[in-house]
Amino acid sequence: MDSFEERLKRDAAAVRADVSPELESRLQASLEGVAAAKPRARSNRPAWFWLASSLTGTAAALTVIALLNQEEPAAPPASIAAQPLLSVPNLNVRPAVLGPLEDELDKLKSDLEKAERVVRDDVETLLGEVPR
Amino acid sequence: MLQETELIERAKGGSIGAFTRLVEAYRERLFRFLLTRCQSHADAEDALQETFVNAYRYLYSYRAEWRFSTWIYRIAIRNASSQRSPEVREAPELADESNGPLEACIGEQSRRNIWLAAKRVLNEDTYAAMWLRYVEDMSINDIAVALERTESWAKVNLLRGRKALAAEITRVDAAHPEDIACG
């Protein structure tokens, strides 16, 4: 121990830290008024017990999962199965909006054929017979 | 005379008499340390009381492989910190250095006490580390445990604290050579 360390120790000892009788009785009273806390109840079972119980629990969980996955999916009740999920519209029904359009298309086709015939006749007149 | 470990075991078993023996063994050492940490004599008394109450209450958690002094100092350091109001912690410069409990306990005849200089130049934890090392003869590991720091921190700060304190002592001695002559 060097002189510096000796001085540190000596000067610390020079600090008066007398515990007064009042403080002493106060300490004693406070200790008597407090109850020592109890440690949480700890089981004295050995460590292998906890390992074994953990493994057992894990195995049980895995077994239940495996059993649940082996079962066939439950069939839905017949009454529900018979019902169509969606009402399918009758596609053969001619919507009202399509009728006039189709009539118009027929008329246009007819006009086109007529115009084509006229043009063909004019060409034949001018150039002779045109192969079809 | 019963050994410390035996007293601890008896106190753990509920013997308040055994714990009182431990209190008697440690109260002055702890009180001296707390006087250097707390802002007032009353705070130091409160911290001492809280230290022993908490130690008794949680004695079941103490393990025989620890040094009892380290364990109880750790409780004391925590209590000393909690005794200080936030205002004081944030603005330590507002504390009146001449009226602290340490100054009052040292007295006029020992105004060159090295721990007064230590209080001026060291921060709280370094001061505590120096105290635990050089007054309580604690190991580096015990200091680290008591202050909840690493061993590296304890080593580095002990070295820095010692250097800073030596420099401060040299400065004070140079400024007041008449005090050296008076002793």
Side-chain angles (χ1 to χ4, degrees):
Chain A
M1 188 186 293
D2 60 25
S3 59
F4 185 74
E5 292 176 12
E6 280 175 7
R7 184 174 173 187
L8 284 167
K9 202 176 271 291
R10 190 179 63 240
D11 284 5
V15 178
R16 290 194 309 272
D18 303 328
V19 176
S20 63
E22 292 78 18
L23 179 58
E24 192 177 334
S25 56
R26 182 177 148 192
L27 288 175
Q28 191 63 34
S30 64
L31 288 175
E32 285 169 359
V34 70
K38 297 290 178 193
R40 283 177 295 176
R42 295 183 65 180
S43 172
N44 54 2
R45 289 172 174 146
W48 60 261
F49 174 84
W50 302 112
L51 178 65
S53 61
S54 300
L55 289 174
T56 307
T58 308
L62 290 173
T63 306
V64 169
I65 290 168
L67 286 173
L68 288 175
N69 286 330
Q70 276 180 351
E71 289 178 0
E72 293 290 329
S79 58
I80 295 176
Q83 291 175 359
L85 293 176
L86 291 171
S87 59
V88 180
N90 184 3
L91 297 177
N92 294 326
V93 176
R94 196 179 174 201
V97 73
L98 289 177
L101 290 174
E102 286 184 350
D103 291 344
E104 189 66 23
L105 182 62
D106 290 341
K107 286 179 185 173
L108 287 172
K109 280 180 182 175
S110 173
D111 291 346
L112 188 63
E113 285 171 1
K114 197 184 288 178
E116 186 182 356
R117 205 162 42 240
V118 171
V119 170
R120 189 177 297 278
D121 289 343
D122 289 345
V123 170
E124 280 179 0
T125 306
L126 292 171
L127 302 174
E129 192 165 342
V130 176
R132 288 182 182 266
Chain B
M1 185 175 174
L2 290 174
Q3 294 293 316
E4 185 175 273
T5 50
E6 196 171 345
L7 288 172
I8 293 166
E9 283 308 310
R10 288 190 182 188
K12 272 186 173 182
S15 168
I16 198 162
F19 192 76
T20 303
R21 298 273 298 278
L22 290 169
V23 170
E24 288 166 358
Y26 279 93
R27 64 187 177 194
E28 286 192 4
R29 288 163 64 182
L30 285 174
F31 193 40
R32 183 173 284 117
F33 173 72
L34 289 168
L35 283 168
T36 71
R37 291 276 290 193
C38 296
Q39 291 300 302
S40 69
H41 202 275
D43 281 353
E45 288 184 350
D46 290 346
L48 183 69
Q49 180 181 347
E50 281 299 304
T51 299
F52 285 126
V53 166
N54 286 336
Y56 184 59
R57 182 174 286 154
Y58 300 108
L59 193 60
Y60 72 85
S61 66
Y62 170 76
R63 293 184 187 172
E65 61 262 29
W66 301 336
R67 277 181 63 179
F68 187 72
S69 59
T70 306
W71 186 73
I72 204 161
Y73 260 101
R74 185 170 174 164
I75 298 173
I77 288 166
R78 283 186 181 176
N79 281 322
S81 300
S82 66
Q83 287 292 331
R84 304 182 64 182
S85 64
E87 297 78 30
V88 172
R89 275 198 294 270
E90 286 167 12
E93 67 277 10
L94 296 178
D96 185 355
E97 191 180 84
S98 62
N99 292 326
L102 177 59
E103 291 75 11
C105 293
I106 286 172
E108 272 299 307
Q109 73 276 17
S110 300
R111 60 194 166 120
R112 287 183 64 255
N113 190 301
I114 198 168
W115 292 102
L116 283 175
K119 210 173 175 186
R120 280 198 303 273
V121 298
L122 305 180
N123 64 41
E124 272 193 357
D125 280 356
T126 305
Y127 181 99
M130 295 281 287
W131 185 281
L132 297 178
R133 179 67 174 170
Y134 297 111
V135 180
E136 290 293 332
D137 295 323
M138 278 193 188
S139 67
I140 297 291
N141 179 52
D142 284 342
I143 293 168
V145 170
L147 291 171
E148 299 177 66
R149 300 278 196 165
T150 62
E151 285 191 29
S152 303
W153 180 93
K155 281 180 195 170
V156 168
N157 280 274
L158 280 171
L159 187 64
R160 285 180 184 166
R162 191 177 165 131
K163 279 185 178 176
L165 194 50
E168 175 69 4
I169 293 300
T170 306
R171 188 188 67 78
V172 170
D173 287 349
H176 303 284
E178 70 279 4
D179 287 345
I180 302 173
C182 295

